[in-house]
Amino acid sequence: MDIYKDFKFKDDETPKYVQIANFIKDLIDKRKIKEGDKLETIRELSKKLGVNNVTIVSAYNKLKAEGYAYQKVGSGSYAKRKEVASNFRREYSNTLKKLSMEDLTDVVDFTGETSKEVLFPINDLKHIINEVLERDGANALFSDNRNGYTNLIDTINKAFWDYKLNNEDILIVSGAQQGIDIVSKGILNINDNIIVEKPTYVGALSVFKWRKVNLFEMPIEDDGINLDKFEKILQKNEIKCFYTMSYFQNPTGISYSLEKKKRILDLAEIYDFYIIEDDYLSELIYESSLEYIPFKLLDKNDRVIYIKSFSKIFLPGIRLGYLIAPTIFRETLQNSKHNTDITTSSLMQRALELYISDNKWKKNIKNLNDEYIKRYTLMKSLLDKEFKDILTYIDPKGGLNFYLTLNEDFRVNTRELFIRLRKKDVYITPGAMFFTSQNDGQDSFRLAFYQTDKKKIKKGMKILKEELISAKLYNESKLDN
């Protein structure tokens, strides 16, 4: 049956591509086109509806931008029921908001998103802020530079880059999320093509979808993206940016090999695209085999937009970070920042500058590493001993989480697993949260140890194993019946 036989263009000013997109959305909502069904090729549909190929391309781009379709490289476009994705995301978000307002004494938060546990020495913060106020007086509340506190910018350049950068290229931002948003607003236009890792950070996906860009997802391996598939996309499409998390990628925890970094930088020059490097956890390296060499440090051709967050390692809830802009984008990104919130808290910038310049930074990083490596080691040990027949994972060797994939015998939709565990006060992040399509990531989930001590890790992992075994037995009983 031809599902397009009843389609007719309206005699109004609505563009044809919008009318086609709205008709297809209605078919998806009414389940006449099912979740995951392949949409007709551009050539087939243009012939069927009597329009040119560009009209169908625009209609499909609109569907993708509004969450009703997704693209598989080299295969075509596929339908996605928007409410499936949005309803669960909303439920997940509302659950965490409610959780953050409750007593978490008996709760095991493997999402890492409640921020109830703070491993920063609060007395140090009090001392630093008092010292800043005594030193600078009322000036501590005012910024001397729209791009950030001048002394902080210089201290960042000295402490982390050994003065290899120009201070003018450093822009202080209110955390990594704002950095991604500023870059997106500054250099991305509707229907620009960008490549993201698959899976990737949900906050970045949200920003890019708002900009209505075309997303190409690139499978991630144990040392970075698949370069053969990456270059094929570059050959066939004009790519504006590649968004990557070079260390302890969220959610997979993988870090890029030096070889892949160098090759991606070469490809950026060959195919004229820019790399957005989101470096949010590179301080938390637990094994000496992992060396800290970000894309930006290798960047000879000014191709990397580097974003660094201090939120996880300075103080959760105080949003601070910085962005390094290539010269070509410097003014554009500065204007994008100023249009967003004019300036970031001057007092906290001055406090961060003193924290770094007095070397308290290094002491706290050591304390964080000492604590988190204990949790990492415990969770890894439990996974290896108690879950070896249940799931697989790539050892992150640092960071704050593990990304787990269920084996065939224990395959259960992890959105359902989230709901089952929630009833027992254990909270995980289902893999589907990190993909553009809810068809992906159904057998995976992330376990973060950021908000769990060793006692809660043991408790939560015990309950997790019980629920997975219970789900397996339930699935087997359904098959028997």
Side-chain angles (χ1 to χ4, degrees), residues 99-143:
L99 190 63
S100 296
M101 295 183 288
E102 295 179 350
D103 179 7
L104 301 183
T105 303
D106 297 321
V107 168
V108 179
D109 174 25
F110 284 139
T111 71
E113 297 185 34
T114 53
S115 297
K116 287 294 184 182
E117 181 185 78
V118 176
L119 296 182
F120 185 88
I122 299 298
N123 287 333
D124 277 4
L125 180 63
K126 291 178 183 177
H127 175 76
I128 289 169
I129 290 177
N130 287 336
E131 189 172 342
V132 167
L133 290 171
E134 289 175 7
R135 183 192 68 191
D136 300 341
N139 290 331
L141 305 177
F142 301 99
S143 176

Side-chain angles (χ1 to χ4, degrees), residues 171-434:
L171 179 66
I172 303 300
V173 295
S174 301
Q177 184 70 19
Q178 187 189 66
I180 297 167
D181 187 58
I182 286 168
V183 172
S184 184
K185 289 176 181 176
I187 70 174
L188 297 178
N189 298 309
I190 293 174
N191 288 334
D192 274 349
N193 297 323
I194 74 167
I195 298 176
V196 298
E197 295 153 340
K198 181 181 183 181
T200 193
Y201 170 48
V202 65
L205 287 177
S206 177
V207 169
F208 296 143
K209 287 177 181 178
W210 272 106
R211 292 302 294 168
K212 297 185 177 178
V213 298
N214 300 319
L215 291 175
F216 292 81
E217 294 180 285
M218 185 51 48
I220 195 161
E221 301 170 334
D222 60 1
D223 65 341
I225 54 168
N226 182 304
L227 289 183
D228 290 336
K229 293 180 179 179
F230 186 63
E231 189 162 9
K232 286 179 181 177
I233 291 182
L234 296 172
Q235 290 168 347
K236 295 179 180 178
N237 302 274
E238 186 177 336
I239 299 299
K240 187 71 169 286
C241 289
F242 166 49
Y243 169 75
T244 179
M245 307 181 85
S246 51
Y247 283 86
F248 314 124
Q249 194 260 5
N250 188 5
T252 64
I254 74 98
S255 298
Y256 277 69
S257 65
L258 183 60
E259 292 75 17
K260 284 197 172 180
K261 289 174 192 169
K262 289 179 177 178
R263 181 56 183 161
I264 290 168
L265 283 163
D266 289 341
L267 292 172
E269 188 68 10
I270 294 168
Y271 293 99
D272 190 23
F273 67 90
Y274 288 85
I275 298 165
I276 304 172
E277 181 178 17
D278 183 353
D279 178 6
Y280 80 123
L281 278 184
S282 57
E283 294 80 7
L284 302 180
I285 294 175
Y286 307 142
E287 294 193 13
S288 58
S289 60
L290 210 53
E291 188 178 3
Y292 178 62
I293 306 175
F295 279 94
K296 189 61 188 176
L297 204 59
L298 302 167
D299 184 22
K300 298 177 182 178
N301 297 308
D302 216 16
R303 287 281 170 182
V304 178
I305 304 166
Y306 178 89
I307 301 170
K308 176 66 187 175
S309 172
F310 291 110
S311 298
K312 286 280 194 298
I313 47 181
F314 177 44
L315 189 64
I318 296 177
R319 313 300 297 175
L320 279 173
Y322 67 96
L323 182 155
I324 303 171
T327 303
I328 190 174
F329 294 132
R330 180 198 293 167
E331 187 175 349
T332 299
L333 295 181
Q334 288 172 353
N335 290 337
S336 179
K337 161 64 176 175
H338 303 157
N339 291 334
T340 299
D341 68 354
I342 302 178
T343 187
T344 299
S345 167
S346 176
L347 176 60
M348 295 316 301
Q349 286 189 65
R350 291 166 190 256
L352 178 59
E353 190 280 326
L354 189 58
Y355 173 61
I356 297 171
S357 61
D358 277 2
N359 283 323
K360 289 185 172 67
W361 160 272
K362 292 182 179 179
K363 180 181 177 182
N364 191 50
I365 289 299
K366 182 183 183 305
N367 291 339
L368 288 176
N369 272 275
D370 289 346
E371 174 56 33
Y372 287 138
I373 196 171
K374 294 174 185 175
R375 302 182 187 188
Y376 156 83
T377 303
L378 173 60
M379 186 172 279
K380 184 177 184 300
S381 174
L382 289 171
L383 288 171
D384 291 342
K385 292 178 182 176
E386 303 294 332
F387 292 82
K388 61 181 180 180
D389 297 323
I390 297 176
L391 50 79
T392 58
Y393 70 94
I394 295 173
D395 183 2
K397 301 179 182 178
L400 294 172
N401 63 265
F402 287 84
Y403 188 68
L404 313 168
T405 301
L406 296 171
N407 294 337
E408 188 67 38
D409 289 344
F410 289 86
R411 197 64 46 93
V412 59
N413 189 314
T414 52
R415 293 202 300 264
E416 296 175 9
L417 180 63
F418 168 81
I419 294 170
R420 290 174 69 115
L421 289 169
R422 183 175 62 182
K423 295 175 182 177
K424 298 191 174 182
D425 280 337
V426 176
Y427 295 81
I428 63 169
T429 306
M433 296 293 294
F434 305 102

